[in-house]
Amino acid sequence: MIQWRNTLKGALQGGEQQIGLWCSLANTISTEVVAGAGFDWLLLDMEHSPNDLRDVYSQLQVMTGESTQPMVRVPSADPIVIKRILDAGAQSLLIPNIDDAEQARIAVAATRYAPRGVRGFSQSPRAARFGRIPDYHATCEAELLVAVQVESRHALDNLEQIAAVDGVDCVFIGPGDLSMSLGYLGQQNHPEIVRIIEETIQRIVRTGKIAGILTANEDLARRYIAAGTRLTAIGSDAGLLARASEALAARFKDDA
């Protein structure tokens, strides 16, 4: 029997903490390596990395059979891009730059077939295992995880309305753009930004939706988990490679 249930969504709905890693190297080998590292989920980033459709498709393939689940951040709420990524087999999406409830509704509609949305119909895409899941089109919506990213002062003003949109499963905080919007460019670990983020996490939790965030700062990651995040990314493949390679080189350079 083909296993196609979204175990990431199931774990989150069950109240489990899900620890993830950002993947921006756009490489099947590096993604395959970190997919076996023990993370609950990997974010395949299309917004701030050179990942395109073929890159994401191949990375979804190398993750097949792993316990680590893929999530894709699309570059925008463009329904054509979302349609193609869903057809490629992604079941969990992060949609950036959502500022109000109407934008959230448009984003969700791109993930739904008519009459609930505008997703185009394909008879047997990879998502349907090339036609081997006969009831895919009727049942896939229940297996989709839709996370919308709030990254601006305007989004914070509309937070509860965004979270209330039917089909939004998770509200994911983008600390970099949010700190910039609030006047703290490049200072996402500033105490005032941390305070606002913790408050925002608590607001999301009160709506009954899942709260998510990315931070490479381990102390802040633990604080944000304590505040209520359940979809928590704690670093990136590029960051791990850069910092570990720098540290290794420095150890030997210092001895020379």
Side-chain angles (χ1 to χ4, degrees), residues 55-116:
D55 296 319
V56 171
Y57 197 108
S58 297
Q59 289 169 80
L60 292 172
Q61 287 177 314
V62 301
M63 291 186 68
T64 300
E66 293 283 357
S67 59
T68 301
Q69 296 298 298
M71 186 173 199
V72 178
R73 178 164 71 172
V74 292
S76 70
D78 183 338
I80 296 175
V81 174
I82 289 174
K83 169 182 63 179
R84 300 187 77 191
I85 292 299
L86 290 176
D87 283 353
Q91 293 180 297
S92 300
L93 296 183
L94 177 58
I95 303 172
N97 300 311
I98 299 300
D99 284 334
D100 56 40
E102 181 58 23
Q103 290 180 3
R105 280 190 285 270
I106 291 170
V108 171
T111 72
R112 270 49 175 168
Y113 292 117
R116 289 172 52 78

Side-chain angles (χ1 to χ4, degrees), residues 2 4 86-89 113 119 122-137:
I2 296 173
W4 67 289
L86 290 176
D87 283 353
Y113 292 117
R119 179 182 175 186
S122 176
Q123 182 62 43
S124 53
R126 180 177 183 270
R129 300 303 186 268
F130 311 103
R132 297 182 182 114
I133 302 174
D135 60 346
Y136 170 80
H137 301 90

Side-chain angles (χ1 to χ4, degrees), residues 122-155:
S122 176
Q123 182 62 43
S124 53
R126 180 177 183 270
R129 300 303 186 268
F130 311 103
R132 297 182 182 114
I133 302 174
D135 60 346
Y136 170 80
H137 301 90
T139 60
C140 65
E141 182 178 318
E143 300 303 323
L144 297 181
L145 173 67
V146 176
V148 296
Q149 198 162 7
V150 292
E151 310 179 75
S152 69
R153 184 186 300 275
H154 189 41

